[in-house]
Amino acid sequence: MFTKKNEKITLLKYWTTRYLATLCIGLLVIGILSVLWIRHSTLQHRLDIAKFLAEETADRFVSNIGGEPTPREKGGKILRDHDKTLGLEKPFIYIVNNDGDILSSSIPMRDDDRMSFRFPPSILQSKKEIQKVHASNDDIFYAVKAPIKSNNVQLGSVILLMAEKDLVKVNEEYRLLGIMLVSLALLGWLAIYLLTRRLSRPIQDVAKAAKQVQEGNYDIQLHHEVKEKEVHELVSSFKEMTSRLETLESLRAELLAGVTHELKTPVTSISGLLQAVKDDIVEGEEAKEFLAISLKEVGRMQKMVADLLEFNSFSANALPVTLESHDINSVVKEIVYQWQVTQEDEEIKIDLHLQDQSQQVMVDTTRLQQIFINLLNNAKQAMEEEKRIDITIHPLVQGEIAIDVRDRGIGIPEAEQAYVFERFFRGEGKKFKVRGLGLGLAFSKMIAKAMNGDLFLKETSTEGTTFTIIISATNAPQ
């Protein structure tokens, strides 16, 4: 079966296979270095023992003969006592005189062979106690030499001749090293497998839950309590996101019904009024009044449609924002004045607190006026008894200007505060009292952000609500 080129692999398979490959490569390198170190240390250790054995044999040799060369029979017994001291299968120990003639050896030799063989002068005359010798068949031997002396006179030498392949042969150590490396590889793979499976399980559940959300099912259950901070935050954030999406989806359905109702109501009213005029149910002044009411409803419906079109256009960046430098005190005073002269309710009082030293800001005055109109209209609708609005301008440390708009209304319920800037959202207090689409605050926040500022709910209580507009300043106070 062929694997698709772009087919994704699971997190468990991805991490375990790559970790195992990395672990095996690392252990292989460690194994090679360990083998080289074992060979080197074993060779040095056995050569040191061979040197000690040669010296000890030379001392016993002199002790047994009283300073004269030992006959082969006695010397052979001494050598056979040490033939396995190194732990090697065939250690070759020779007693030679100063001319290189073999007097005795650890292995039986015929007299003809012993008399005909002579150690080369390069081994006998060298001052090195340990020498590396290359044989004719490319084998490598080590010759360990210890002089046989009596009264400071060298009578001969003890020579240990050992093959390098025998000196470095440590099969048991290699076997233990292999078992250890294989065990480490299996334990490492098992550990990463178990840890990755534990880590990937909540991620897989989140991925499955995301598919459910994609299909429109927001009722998901994630029960994993994980100790890892990042995974815990992922699961918790996803839970919060789905909970909020579920809330917004229910709000969307409810608000869509509300918007439909808001648009349907004036159409029904207009239809009934015009039908009454057409059927001559009303005549004269009453008919004119019916027509005036119809025109008023048409105007309200046109405004709602215009708000929808403008909001959509602004969302698509189709309506540009032109930022220019203006005096903040003058701009706010003019906007507040224009709003006041259009209000029929003269009982509303606005307390305007301007800066002592005015400051230049970068704004689009038309768009800023839209924000103020939305905030002032909302403040007017929220107030029932004390109809007073406070507008305060004050600088911020970040080189920005803040404008607080505070009403004396009943405040926004805590359950609704998180949704005041959602599109089409209208609180329970306004849903059946105030006609509208619930786009004012959402639109105002978009405008503020387009002017490199912001709009947020600063505080709200039963004593009133304060919204804050943030605007970028252009220079220091004059």
Side-chain angles (χ1 to χ4, degrees), residues 23 33 38-39 54 101 107 127 135 137 210 214 240 258 267 272 277 309 350 353 374 377 398 400 406 435 442 446 477:
L23 183 63
L33 295 177
I38 291 174
R39 284 174 59 90
D101 297 327
I107 58 175
K127 295 181 179 181
N137 58 353
Q214 184 181 7
E240 294 175 3
V267 172
V277 174
L309 292 175
I350 296 181
H353 305 280
N374 283 323
N377 286 338
Q398 296 88 353
E400 297 175 327
R406 180 176 183 270
R435 303 286 293 276
M446 290 177 60

Side-chain angles (χ1 to χ4, degrees), residues 238-477:
F238 192 84
K239 286 181 179 179
E240 294 175 3
M241 182 194 71
T242 53
S243 176
R244 182 169 175 80
L245 284 174
E246 186 176 13
T247 302
L248 292 178
E249 180 64 20
S250 61
L251 284 174
R252 185 190 67 81
E254 180 182 350
L255 297 175
L256 181 60
V259 170
T260 305
H261 173 74
E262 289 296 328
L263 292 175
K264 180 181 178 181
T265 300
V267 172
T268 303
S269 177
I270 293 170
S271 177
L273 292 171
L274 293 179
Q275 189 66 40
V277 174
K278 178 183 177 183
D279 296 340
D280 295 329
I281 297 176
V282 293
E283 297 178 349
E285 293 298 326
E286 191 175 9
K288 291 181 180 180
E289 183 180 355
F290 273 38
L291 291 175
I293 295 173
S294 298
L295 290 174
K296 186 176 181 180
E297 291 294 325
V298 169
R300 183 179 291 112
M301 189 169 62
Q302 285 177 333
K303 183 179 182 306
M304 287 190 288
V305 173
D307 288 344
L308 280 173
L309 292 175
E310 189 171 20
F311 182 84
N312 291 332
S313 298
F314 205 88
S315 299
N317 296 320
L319 293 179
V321 173
T322 304
L323 299 180
E324 297 177 347
S325 179
H326 294 277
D327 180 271
I328 187 61
N329 284 349
S330 300
V331 170
V332 173
K333 284 171 62 177
E334 179 64 24
I335 291 174
V336 171
Y337 172 76
Q338 292 182 10
W339 182 81
Q340 282 185 303
V341 297
T342 60
Q343 303 304 306
E344 299 177 356
D345 190 349
E346 297 180 357
E347 295 182 1
I348 297 178
K349 296 181 180 180
I350 296 181
D351 294 334
L352 190 57
H353 305 280
L354 303 175
Q355 284 188 294
D356 295 334
Q357 294 179 324
S358 189
Q359 191 169 355
Q360 296 292 314
V361 293
M362 296 298 295
V363 294
D364 185 326
T365 55
T366 302
R367 299 302 177 188
L368 182 61
Q369 185 176 20
Q370 288 180 284
I371 298 176
F372 264 98
I373 290 174
N374 283 323
L375 294 179
L376 293 173
N377 286 338
N378 288 346
K380 175 184 175 182
Q381 296 163 4
M383 295 184 296
E384 296 179 354
E385 297 180 0
E386 187 179 1
K387 297 186 177 182
R388 193 176 74 191
I389 301 174
D390 293 317
I391 299 178
T392 305
I393 304 174
H394 56 90
L396 298 178
V397 294
Q398 296 88 353
E400 297 175 327
I401 297 295
I403 306 174
D404 294 337
V405 180
R406 180 176 183 270
D407 62 48
R408 303 302 175 90
I410 59 176
I412 302 173
E414 184 177 356
E416 298 178 2
Q417 293 175 17
Y419 306 105
V420 293
F421 292 106
E422 294 293 339
R423 305 175 184 186
F424 304 109
F425 177 78
R426 291 188 301 155
E428 294 296 330
K430 297 175 63 177
K431 188 176 298 184
F432 303 107
K433 296 179 182 180
V434 182
R435 303 286 293 276
L437 298 176
L439 291 175
L441 288 176
F443 190 31
S444 298
K445 190 175 184 69
M446 290 177 60
I447 295 175
K449 286 186 174 294
M451 294 192 298
N452 302 320
D454 200 359
L455 172 66
F456 59 90
L457 175 63
K458 184 176 183 180
E459 59 182 0
T460 180
S461 66
T462 55
E463 298 179 356
T465 300
T466 303
F467 284 91
T468 298
I469 309 170
I470 304 296
I471 303 174
S472 299
T474 59
N475 57 6

Side-chain angles (χ1 to χ4, degrees), residues 4-272:
K4 295 181 180 179
K5 183 178 181 180
N6 296 325
E7 184 178 356
K8 304 299 181 183
I9 62 176
T10 63
L11 182 65
L12 181 63
K13 182 178 179 181
Y14 180 89
W15 282 113
T16 51
T17 54
R18 280 157 178 77
Y19 177 81
L20 182 60
T22 304
L23 183 63
C24 289
I25 293 173
L27 291 177
L28 179 62
V29 173
I30 293 174
I32 294 173
L33 295 177
S34 299
V35 168
L36 294 176
W37 181 81
I38 291 174
R39 284 174 59 90
H40 175 75
S41 61
T42 301
L43 177 63
Q44 294 299 320
H45 177 67
R46 286 180 171 174
L47 288 176
D48 290 340
I49 295 178
K51 179 181 175 183
F52 171 77
L53 177 61
E55 293 173 351
E56 194 266 345
T57 302
D59 291 341
R60 290 185 63 182
F61 196 87
V62 173
S63 170
N64 283 332
I65 66 174
E68 296 295 332
T70 300
R72 182 177 55 186
E73 292 76 17
K74 296 182 179 179
K77 183 177 184 305
I78 295 173
L79 300 182
R80 285 193 296 274
D81 290 340
H82 297 294
D83 62 355
K84 292 189 180 297
T85 303
L86 292 175
L88 302 176
E89 294 181 359
K90 295 180 180 180
F92 300 104
I93 307 176
Y94 300 94
I95 308 299
V96 300
N97 60 19
N98 292 330
D99 295 329
D101 297 327
I102 298 176
L103 302 179
S104 182
S105 66
S106 62
I107 58 175
M109 296 181 67
R110 293 185 302 175
D111 291 340
D112 294 341
D113 294 337
R114 182 169 54 82
M115 296 298 295
S116 62
F117 183 83
R118 176 172 293 181
F119 273 88
S122 60
I123 297 178
L124 298 174
Q125 297 174 5
S126 175
K127 295 181 179 181
K128 296 181 179 179
E129 296 177 336
I130 300 175
Q131 302 174 59
K132 194 174 185 179
V133 181
H134 294 272
S136 57
N137 58 353
D138 294 333
D139 288 339
I140 298 176
F141 290 84
Y142 281 89
V144 181
K145 181 180 66 173
I148 302 174
K149 292 183 178 181
S150 178
N151 298 324
N152 294 325
V153 177
Q154 182 170 342
L155 305 176
S157 301
V158 176
I159 298 177
L160 274 70
L161 194 63
M162 298 161 290
E164 184 184 48
K165 61 182 180 180
D166 293 331
L167 286 172
V168 298
K169 185 182 295 184
V170 282
N171 294 334
E172 186 65 24
E173 285 80 353
Y174 293 154
R175 188 179 300 109
L176 292 175
L177 177 63
I179 294 174
M180 182 184 70
L181 294 178
V182 172
S183 300
L184 287 175
L186 292 177
L187 288 175
W189 175 81
L190 181 62
I192 196 66
Y193 176 83
L194 295 176
L195 291 174
T196 304
R197 188 175 67 172
R198 181 178 180 276
L199 183 65
S200 63
R201 187 173 299 169
I203 297 177
Q204 289 176 342
D205 290 343
V206 170
K208 292 178 182 177
K211 291 183 179 179
Q212 295 181 19
V213 173
Q214 184 181 7
E215 296 171 357
N217 180 16
Y218 301 104
D219 185 17
I220 62 172
Q221 299 295 329
L222 295 174
H223 301 290
H224 287 287
E225 293 295 335
V226 291
K227 296 181 179 180
E228 292 80 8
K229 179 180 178 181
E230 293 79 5
V231 180
H232 175 73
E233 290 178 350
L234 172 65
V235 175
S236 300
S237 299
F238 192 84
K239 286 181 179 179
E240 294 175 3
M241 182 194 71
T242 53
S243 176
R244 182 169 175 80
L245 284 174
E246 186 176 13
T247 302
L248 292 178
E249 180 64 20
S250 61
L251 284 174
R252 185 190 67 81
E254 180 182 350
L255 297 175
L256 181 60
V259 170
T260 305
H261 173 74
E262 289 296 328
L263 292 175
K264 180 181 178 181
T265 300
V267 172
T268 303
S269 177
I270 293 170
S271 177

